[in-house]
Amino acid sequence: MHLRNLGSRAWDLATGTQHAGKVACFLWVVDLILSGLIVMKVPYTEIDWKAYMSQVELYLNGERDYAKIRGGTGPLVYPAGHLYIFSILYKFTSKGENIFLAQILFAGLYLATLALVFKLYVNAKAPLYTFPLVILSKRLHSIYMLRLFNDTFAILIAYLSVFAWQNHYWLLGSLIYSFALSIKMNVLLFLPAAGVILLQALGPRVFRAALFMLQVQILLAYPFTSKFFFSYVTRAFDFNRVFLYKWTVNWRFVDEAVFLTPEFAQTLLIIQGLLLLFFIFTRWIKPSDMNIINIIQTIAFPSPRPPAVHNAILAKMTPEYILKTLLTCNLIGVLCARSLHYQFYSWFAWSLPYLLSITAWNPLVQVVVWAAEEWAWNTYPSTKLSSFVVVATNAILIAGIWFGTKKDAEDAKSGSHILPEMSSISVTESPPLVRATPLSSPAATARPATRSQRRRKNVSRG
């Protein structure tokens, strides 16, 4: 009986959220030690680092034409933010020669990302059993400390934007997000959900957030676009790249002839679009309960949003809602990507434990699914079986998320009937870069008591 009670208490603790901060701190220290051991004991593998350094060297020597910036792996295919960050690393690591120092810097990057992910989890009230899974990925450690890929910087900054949005800093989050996009295009996978979130939070002034994002891109790209605009745009944001079949991790079970056809890519893009629309109108838009007509009218015919409406919508845009919406959107993009390489696991590996926790599955089932995904990403080279597991687990997880969040969507919708006509509302603007706050509060709306009211109160007290 004592053992049964002990086991029940342990289960309640693991599936609860108490002491999440302390658990996160403990696990971070454990991973600090583990990361140090990996850097010191496990051999480094050269893949893209020398190519990054060659490209940076050309840039630092004055080259601004993207068509002429190349490295050992081919032409530069990343936006300007990538060059700026790796230029700093180039100088810190003696022109890229000090690999050990670079590994230490990337270990610090890993630990910074880990701390941020834990904070996102704590804000979203993730159950404790998800926290250890975050630090147990062998492939994730390898991507950061043994391969030195640029995906890692893009993900850290993208998660900083998620953190800002969790705290309702809508415009600041948009600026940070755009900087992440300037490092690598994969950050675009968050954009549909970010647009839905910002539209509900800012109404027609979502265009201001979009303008901020565009301004960041223009500013960072200006040294290249001022003279070589076409070269920069077509190279840094090349949507027509076709990755080699032999390196794909996700679609190897598909015949190579099919994999290389434009129709295959177009089919995946259509599936992605349909999944996004399905989640937008059945899950992500529920805080405001808008539909297509409401969205168009809100943008095209803006009018003041009543304080009660604004407050009701913001109240439903919780850290949990923000995190699950953005991470699910990213996972849909991963599922429908024509080709994933091993370093791309960093795009969503951090999010898997949380996404699994919002399904309706038993936690033990969640751990099994996580382990299957991790096994597939550690199978090198990829096989038909491992690639099928990657696609199947992501597809099943997306279905599990939709069913698992059904009650959340219903709860969000239940309060939205207090709203007046959604077709004619917009948002009252909060100051740029400042946290959005309710438009009315008891303290702000309470009127001073009149003299007769104070007299009656004193009499009643007497």
Side-chain angles (χ1 to χ4, degrees), residues 7 21 27 102 108 117 120 125 127 133 135 163 199 232 244-245 320 329 335 386 403 433 450:
L27 292 173
V117 169
L120 296 176
K125 300 177 183 178
L133 296 180
I135 72 169
F163 177 71
L199 177 62
Y232 177 82
L244 296 176
Y245 178 78
E320 298 98 312
C329 183
L335 171 66
S386 68
F403 285 105
L433 310 183
T450 63

Side-chain angles (χ1 to χ4, degrees), residues 321-342:
Y321 162 80
I322 299 292
L323 190 61
K324 70 186 176 186
T325 300
L326 289 164
L327 296 188
T328 303
C329 183
N330 182 60
L331 184 64
I332 290 173
V334 168
L335 171 66
C336 299
R338 176 156 76 166
S339 184
L340 297 175
H341 291 181
Y342 285 98

